[in-house]
Amino acid sequence: MTGRHDGSGSRLGVDVGGTFTDVVVVATDGRVRIDKVPSTPRDQSDGVLAGWRALGLDPAALAAFAHGTTVATNALLERRGGRTALVTTEGFRDLLEIGRQDRASLYDLTRHRPAPLVPRDLRFVVRERMSPDGVVVPLDPASLARAVDAVAGAGVDAVAVCLLFGFLHPEHERAVGEAVRRRLPHVAVSLSHEVLPEFREYERMSTTVADAYLRPRMAAYLERLAARAADAGLPAPTVMQSSGGVLDVAVAARHPARFVLSGPAGGVVGASHVAGLSGYPDVLTFDMGGTSTDVAPVVGGQVQLTTEAVVAGVPLRLPMVDVHTVSAGGGSVAWVDEGGALRVGPHSAGADPGPVAYGLGGTEPTVTDANLVLGALPDGARLGGDIVLRRGAAERALAALGARLGLDARQTALGVVRVADTEMVRALRVISVERGLDPRDFALVAFGGAGGLHACALAEQLGSSTVLVPRAAGVLSALGLAISEVRHDHVATVAGRHDADLEAMFGELEDRAGAALPGATLARQADLRYAGQSFELTVPGATRAALVEAFGDAHERRYGHRIDDEPVEVVNVRVVATRAGAVPDLRGSERPAAAHGSRVGHRRLLLDTGETTASVHDRTRMAPGSTVAGPAVVQMPESTCVVRPGWSGRVDEVGTLVLRREEAR
């Protein structure tokens, strides 16, 4: 890690979204400065540096610079990674394509799996075989030479090496990796025992292939960003991992699979922190940005993680914030399908050309255009610098779409918002009800540029009575980056090891973690399952007895039952090493309320309940204790919040607008 870590200096967080790049600086006294600039999809580093310059900061005053990027995510979604080869054990060439034989949609016979990242003609084999006890068939030099020749002749950018039982006995993988590197020194090589030293061949292979596939693009971007940051005098950047902690930029360039959910993870960290300061440890985070909506649970103040994620059709068995993403963002395009039904997404107008109302060349109406026509957003509002919303353009685009449905522009806009809301409610139920959590017991934390526009409507459908809208709602992911901890994850597989000594395995991992991150706080976890089960739950615990008890509680919460007399197997042991980042108090950072109040006017607002007149409030004029009652629109510098009829709230001492349904009081 570079930069000052003695607590002096401010911390910079920059989060790149599909439409805007958000920037937050947290000073040592807890004061927060924020800004927002348009994203630059062709080169995200342009937007990152533009965001820093927009705040006019002296780089010498910065102690740390944390970054959340969508480069890896977009490369998977768009299938624009490097040309990648796979070297594996003879007989396992097609494992990447065979997978688990599960179906995303069980009864849809026309639905196909996404194509594997490595086509069959780029998969090569070596003759060797390991078992849990060691070598069964030695690595055959002739087959290794043939495989390396084939890789060299394929013109690839990266190579993934995944051999049978390589996680227990990596000797053969190392030999293959060394041979490839000698022949092709400029090609990125990912070895499965370094990327994911766990059992389950398919998930390990899929994760290793993704790591190799992403390395050329991610490494090029991060090297460019690091060089530009150095030229500007900024600290060397750290990058947010999918697990909710940052790592050095060099590690991110070597192992990009760990950073696929970089941006969304920062948002969950920021939301958890702000909600905790307001006294809400149990929340559902709702991050609605320009291209997508990300939702996640926080239970007891702890961000929930999973190791069973699928991103863009690619299984990634790495620690990740338990985020569920749907393609319903402010820039999501509305369209009519062949059956005449109104649809929203997955295509997004993004930052270029953006929604029609931006006047940058967009012609397809989006959710942002719909909110503008409904009155939730003001005509002529300025966003992210030079972008000005134009209601007339949005109305014309929605009227053209509505002509296919027999609706006028406003009716079409209402339909667009309803469709988007339905998709987002479904996502929130996935991370609550399907996780054994009752959404009625959770507050909804709304953030992202568009989160506050939809939060009250979603809470009503979920049965939740409380919505939290942080002061920095429009840039909360960047705040999460600025305050995030440094995190290293270490894992070892117990399954397949006869007479495994858990205490010794934990001790070995702790030694490794302490060496990698001196002074870190270490926490023990493990993956457990009932004997005969196929998948595990990850729980905390320092001893086997504590792990088994925690597993029973987690199993009952997730599946509704526990079996205390059933044998429990430990599959993997884990050690998480963390070093805390900045923890801004945020109290006292609010300006005093304006003497003449926060109300600045009225605006007609069309909701699903009918048309109404809403009071309009300027959030910059609201201090702790300021109140608002629906119907109302609260305008913030980086976002907007719609307070529906039946809702009211006040700004608390940390600057969060706490909204509650009156019937739930």
Side-chain angles (χ1 to χ4, degrees):
M1 303 292 294
T2 58
R4 297 194 303 274
H5 293 280
D6 57 0
S8 62
S10 301
R11 298 173 66 92
L12 171 67
V14 183
D15 176 59
V16 177
T19 305
F20 290 102
T21 293
D22 302 332
V23 192
V24 167
V25 170
V26 179
T28 53
D29 61 1
R31 287 180 298 124
V32 177
R33 294 178 59 188
I34 59 182
D35 212 325
K36 184 185 286 278
V37 298
S39 292
T40 52
R42 291 181 179 85
D43 185 351
Q44 289 187 3
S45 66
D46 289 338
V48 172
L49 272 294
W52 160 66
R53 284 191 292 266
L55 287 175
L57 292 170
D58 178 1
L62 294 175
F65 166 24
H67 177 40
T69 175
T70 57
V71 168
T73 314
N74 292 341
L76 283 183
L77 289 169
E78 300 166 5
R79 291 299 194 263
R80 293 176 60 188
R83 179 175 167 85
T84 304
L86 169 65
V87 179
T88 189
T89 303
E90 186 178 60
F92 289 80
R93 178 185 183 189
D94 295 321
L95 178 61
L96 187 65
E97 199 154 0
I98 294 170
R100 288 285 174 193
Q101 291 292 290
D102 56 342
R103 300 182 67 90
S105 183
L106 185 60
Y107 300 107
D108 184 355
L109 301 181
T110 65
R111 187 163 179 173
H112 298 284
R113 288 177 179 272
L117 298 179
V118 179
R120 196 171 195 272
D121 63 326
L122 293 181
R123 303 179 212 147
F124 309 104
V125 300
V126 293
R127 180 170 174 74
E128 67 85 39
R129 180 62 66 94
M130 288 284 189
S131 76
D133 298 320
V135 178
V136 175
V137 177
L139 178 61
D140 177 48
S143 70
L144 175 57
R146 287 193 298 271
V148 173
D149 286 344
V151 170
V156 298
D157 305 307
V159 179
V161 180
C162 185
L163 305 182
L164 192 66
F165 287 103
F167 65 97
L168 287 179
H169 305 287
E171 298 87 351
H172 289 175
E173 280 196 357
R174 291 195 186 105
V176 173
E178 289 170 3
V180 173
R181 286 170 176 144
R182 282 196 303 269
R183 181 70 174 275
L184 302 168
H186 302 298
V187 169
V189 178
S190 295
L191 307 179
S192 78
H193 72 274
E194 295 176 348
V195 175
L196 184 65
E198 296 182 29
F199 97 126
R200 286 208 171 94
E201 302 305 314
Y202 169 57
E203 286 78 8
R204 181 161 54 91
M205 181 180 287
S206 176
T207 305
T208 305
V209 164
D211 193 76
Y213 180 80
L214 294 170
R215 278 180 70 177
R217 189 168 182 184
M218 187 78 160
Y221 166 69
L222 292 177
E223 288 167 4
R224 184 167 62 253
L225 175 65
R228 296 185 68 178
D231 290 342
L234 295 170
T238 56
V239 185
M240 174 62 81
Q241 303 175 84
S242 302
S243 59
V246 296
L247 271 180
D248 194 282
V249 66
V251 178
R254 290 196 305 271
H255 295 294
R258 303 181 189 178
F259 301 84
V260 169
L261 296 182
S262 176
V268 179
V269 171
S272 175
H273 175 73
V274 173
L277 293 178
S278 293
Y280 291 88
D282 298 322
V283 297
L284 303 178
T285 70
F286 167 54
D287 178 6
M288 186 177 180
T291 59
S292 64
T293 291
D294 304 307
V295 297
V298 176
V299 182
Q302 298 298 310
V303 175
Q304 302 299 289
L305 301 182
T306 181
T307 57
E308 298 176 9
V310 178
V311 180
V314 179
L316 297 174
R317 192 172 170 81
L318 292 166
M320 295 186 177
V321 172
D322 191 9
V323 170
H324 184 67
T325 301
V326 292
S327 53
S332 295
V333 171
W335 53 288
V336 177
D337 66 17
E338 295 178 354
L342 180 62
R343 305 283 295 277
V344 175
H347 175 60
S348 172
D352 183 11
V356 176
Y358 285 9
L360 300 177
T363 58
E364 300 175 295
T366 67
V367 176
T368 293
D369 294 307
N371 277 313
L372 179 58
V373 168
L374 294 176
L377 294 172
D379 187 19
R382 187 173 294 276
L383 305 177
D386 297 331
I387 296 175
V388 178
L389 296 181
R390 300 300 184 193
R391 178 171 178 167
E395 282 183 334
R396 289 189 292 273
L398 285 161
L401 179 68
R404 301 180 56 188
L405 301 165
L407 303 174
D408 63 24
R410 300 183 79 208
Q411 292 170 326
T412 305
L414 192 59
V416 169
V417 169
R418 283 173 169 168
V419 171
D421 283 354
T422 299
E423 188 69 14
M424 292 185 289
V425 166
R426 185 180 298 117
L428 286 162
R429 287 186 173 132
V430 167
I431 56 95
S432 57
V433 177
E434 292 188 16
R435 303 292 191 270
L437 306 174
D438 189 339
R440 294 172 296 184
D441 298 332
F442 287 70
L444 185 66
V445 185
F447 57 105
L453 293 169
H454 299 257
C456 289
L458 302 185
E460 289 177 6
Q461 294 186 54
L462 289 169
S464 176
S465 61
T466 305
V467 168
L468 308 179
V469 186
R471 169 64 185 85
V475 293
L476 200 62
S477 291
L479 176 65
L481 293 168
I483 67 174
S484 58
E485 63 190 11
V486 181
R487 175 178 174 128
H488 286 219
D489 290 272
H490 301 268
V491 62
T493 290
V494 178
R497 298 189 179 188
H498 304 301
D499 302 321
D501 183 340
L502 291 188
E503 184 61 34
M505 295 181 72
F506 272 128
E508 181 181 340
L509 291 181
E510 287 169 341
D511 290 342
R512 192 188 311 167
L517 192 63
T521 299
L522 305 180
R524 292 181 174 185
Q525 300 176 346
D527 303 339
L528 282 76
R529 65 186 182 188
Y530 288 123
Q533 283 186 319
S534 298
F535 294 94
E536 305 81 44
L537 293 175
T538 302
V539 296
T543 65
R544 183 181 181 88
L547 289 166
V548 170
E549 180 63 26
F551 169 73
D553 294 340
H555 196 279
E556 185 171 26
R557 183 171 60 250
R558 175 69 67 88
Y559 302 112
H561 70 282
R562 61 191 295 164
I563 316 173
D564 289 330
D565 58 352
E566 184 74 20
V568 175
E569 300 175 341
V570 179
V571 177
N572 300 305
V573 292
R574 302 178 182 274
V575 167
V576 179
T578 56
R579 190 164 62 201
V583 185
D585 190 341
L586 301 181
R587 293 175 174 84
S589 61
E590 289 286 301
R591 298 175 181 175
H596 50 281
S598 64
R599 185 176 298 179
V600 293
H602 295 83
R603 190 159 68 238
R604 296 296 290 171
L605 181 64
L606 179 60
L607 303 170
D608 54 354
T609 55
E611 191 166 15
T612 185
T613 298
S615 59
V616 178
H617 296 258
D618 182 348
R619 177 63 183 83
T620 63
R621 299 184 178 186
M622 300 174 70
S626 297
T627 61
V628 63
V633 176
V634 180
Q635 297 180 164
M636 309 179 204
E638 310 81 23
S639 61
T640 302
C641 175
V642 171
V643 183
R644 287 168 62 87
W647 288 78
S648 61
R650 65 183 296 275
V651 177
D652 70 10
E653 61 181 356
V654 297
T656 296
L657 178 59
V658 181
L659 299 172
R660 290 182 59 83
R661 276 193 296 167
E662 293 175 358
E663 62 190 41
R665 288 178 177 271

